Amino acid sequence: MATATIIDGKDFAARLRAAIAVQVADLKKAHHLTPGLAVVLVGDDLASQVYVRNKGIQAQEAGMNSFDHRLPTTVTAAELLEKINQLNQDPAVHGILVQLPLPKHIDADAVIDAIAVAKDVDGFHPYNAGLLAVGGAGMVPCTPVGCLMLLKHQLGKLAGLRAVVLGRSNIVGKPMAALLLREHCTVTIAHSRTHDLAEECRRADIVIAAVGKPQMVKGDWLKPGATVIDVGINRITAPDGKNRLVGDVDFDSAVQVAGAITPVPGGVGPMTIACLLLNTLTAACRQRGIPVPEVQPAAE
Ligand code: GUN
């Protein structure tokens, strides 16, 4: 039986980071500007610590300044808001990311609202979400941007294709749908209350799975030849008793039916940080009134 093309997000992200590093070096030389990314981590969640460390390392590898701010779980909302206010005022900081989730006693929406719109490299601020909805040039959330890059790399123009987005989060599902609409796809957002998820998927040329349910999307949910982007990262215990990372798509059955598919790990995951660096570069240029460079991944 035919098997799908495996979309190598790890390689694409490495080439994108290399291209970003070239642009950062140019900015330093031509404008004495070093993009700066501040990452705020509250508490000691292990997965968050790993993400934050990787963000810092990759920002520095791209030639950017990386500022880490670690705050204890016991930090008050007022203290965290004061930290964000300081970063908003700091001219060396062009991008601010507050790692989610936050402890329960802190209102995450209020924290996101406090980040300066121009420095909101996560694209989570309601003003940036609004700009995306009306087609303006704001900051767009990193994971959906990464998914779109992989899709365009695989398919070229997306106009007229049917896309189904599984999941309606503010971080992935909703901005993903808005981006696909901007590319002239016919977009359906499906979610936990959708009556027949499998049938919605079967109609789609593009399936984006972002629901957080391990291996939910099966091969027989897919239209033959569909392009499948798996945003899920789920840790499961496999039948052999070992821990394993799997996506929201049942890879082994989907790979038999899809035309192209992202693996987990090594698909969408590495694209998220690469796109965060891209947003930081964009934010730095805009804040200094410098034209935003067109960044194309380095050659394969
Ligand atoms: N936690 C998991 N993913 C993300 C992300 O993309 N941004 C932020 N701020 N927190 C996260």
Side-chain angles (χ1 to χ4, degrees), residues 51 55 97-101 122 124 272:
Y51 284 138
K55 284 168 190 168
L97 179 146
V98 179
Q99 184 68 25
L100 301 176
D122 256 331
F124 294 167
T272 298

Side-chain angles (χ1 to χ4, degrees), residues 160-300:
L161 296 178
R162 273 183 194 277
V164 166
V165 179
L166 300 173
R168 53 176 158 178
S169 71
N170 291 339
I171 295 177
V172 182
K174 284 185 219 162
M176 187 75 244
L179 282 177
L180 290 165
L181 195 55
R182 209 156 85 173
E183 297 297 323
H184 314 289
C185 290
T186 301
V187 183
T188 301
I189 304 179
H191 45 78
S192 53
R193 306 278 182 93
T194 296
H195 280 159
D196 192 342
L197 277 175
E199 198 47 41
E200 294 294 343
C201 284
R202 273 186 213 111
R203 275 201 286 272
D205 306 301
I206 295 168
V207 175
I208 313 276
V211 282
K213 292 237 166 17
Q215 300 169 306
M216 184 183 80
V217 177
K218 309 295 180 195
D220 64 2
W221 290 27
L222 300 172
K223 177 175 172 175
T227 302
V228 180
I229 305 290
D230 190 349
V231 181
I233 301 177
N234 311 288
R235 198 171 288 280
I236 62 160
T237 306
D240 61 8
K242 290 192 179 137
N243 277 344
R244 200 154 74 86
L245 280 187
V246 297
D248 292 349
V249 177
D250 177 37
F251 186 87
D252 291 346
S253 63
V255 77
Q256 304 295 327
V257 184
I261 185 169
T262 58
V264 176
V268 173
M271 291 299 291
T272 298
I273 298 184
C275 292
L276 173 68
L277 302 181
L278 196 55
N279 276 353
T280 305
L281 174 67
T282 300
C285 290
R286 287 186 183 155
Q287 282 160 51
R288 283 277 295 268
I290 298 166
V292 177
E294 182 82 26
V295 182
Q296 294 295 339
E300 285 176 67

Side-chain angles (χ1 to χ4, degrees), residues 3-256:
T3 61
T5 300
I6 310 298
I7 302 173
D8 188 345
K10 191 173 167 194
D11 172 69
F12 192 98
R15 290 187 289 110
L16 185 58
R17 292 198 308 272
I20 292 167
V22 170
Q23 296 296 340
V24 170
D26 278 0
L27 271 184
K28 283 186 191 175
K29 212 154 75 191
H31 300 278
H32 305 290
L33 169 61
T34 303
L37 172 66
V39 177
V40 180
L41 174 61
V42 180
D44 44 20
D45 178 71
L46 221 66
S48 291
Q49 283 178 8
V50 173
Y51 284 138
V52 166
R53 191 175 333 120
N54 285 336
K55 284 168 190 168
I57 291 169
Q58 293 188 20
Q60 284 175 358
E61 280 176 359
M64 298 183 178
N65 287 328
S66 162
F67 307 102
D68 262 17
H69 296 272
R70 312 235 165 178
L71 301 170
T73 317
T74 52
V75 74
T76 65
E79 286 164 340
L80 178 54
L81 291 173
E82 177 50 29
K83 170 62 71 187
I84 289 169
N85 194 35
Q86 283 168 14
L87 297 172
N88 285 342
Q89 309 296 330
D90 185 342
V93 171
H94 305 98
I96 302 169
L97 179 146
V98 179
Q99 184 68 25
L100 301 176
L102 287 168
K104 286 202 174 54
H105 69 277
I106 292 178
D107 175 0
D109 288 340
V111 171
I112 291 167
D113 287 358
I115 297 171
V117 169
K119 296 190 177 185
D120 169 37
V121 283
D122 256 331
F124 294 167
H125 192 287
Y127 191 88
N128 280 319
L131 283 176
L132 177 60
V134 296
M139 284 288 148
V140 182
C142 308
T143 299
V145 171
C147 292
L148 185 64
M149 282 186 180
L150 294 179
L151 277 173
K152 284 180 155 178
H153 177 66
Q154 189 61 35
L155 296 172
K157 287 209 180 346
L158 308 182
L161 296 178
R162 273 183 194 277
V164 166
V165 179
L166 300 173
R168 53 176 158 178
S169 71
N170 291 339
I171 295 177
V172 182
K174 284 185 219 162
M176 187 75 244
L179 282 177
L180 290 165
L181 195 55
R182 209 156 85 173
E183 297 297 323
H184 314 289
C185 290
T186 301
V187 183
T188 301
I189 304 179
H191 45 78
S192 53
R193 306 278 182 93
T194 296
H195 280 159
D196 192 342
L197 277 175
E199 198 47 41
E200 294 294 343
C201 284
R202 273 186 213 111
R203 275 201 286 272
D205 306 301
I206 295 168
V207 175
I208 313 276
V211 282
K213 292 237 166 17
Q215 300 169 306
M216 184 183 80
V217 177
K218 309 295 180 195
D220 64 2
W221 290 27
L222 300 172
K223 177 175 172 175
T227 302
V228 180
I229 305 290
D230 190 349
V231 181
I233 301 177
N234 311 288
R235 198 171 288 280
I236 62 160
T237 306
D240 61 8
K242 290 192 179 137
N243 277 344
R244 200 154 74 86
L245 280 187
V246 297
D248 292 349
V249 177
D250 177 37
F251 186 87
D252 291 346
S253 63
V255 77
Q256 304 295 327

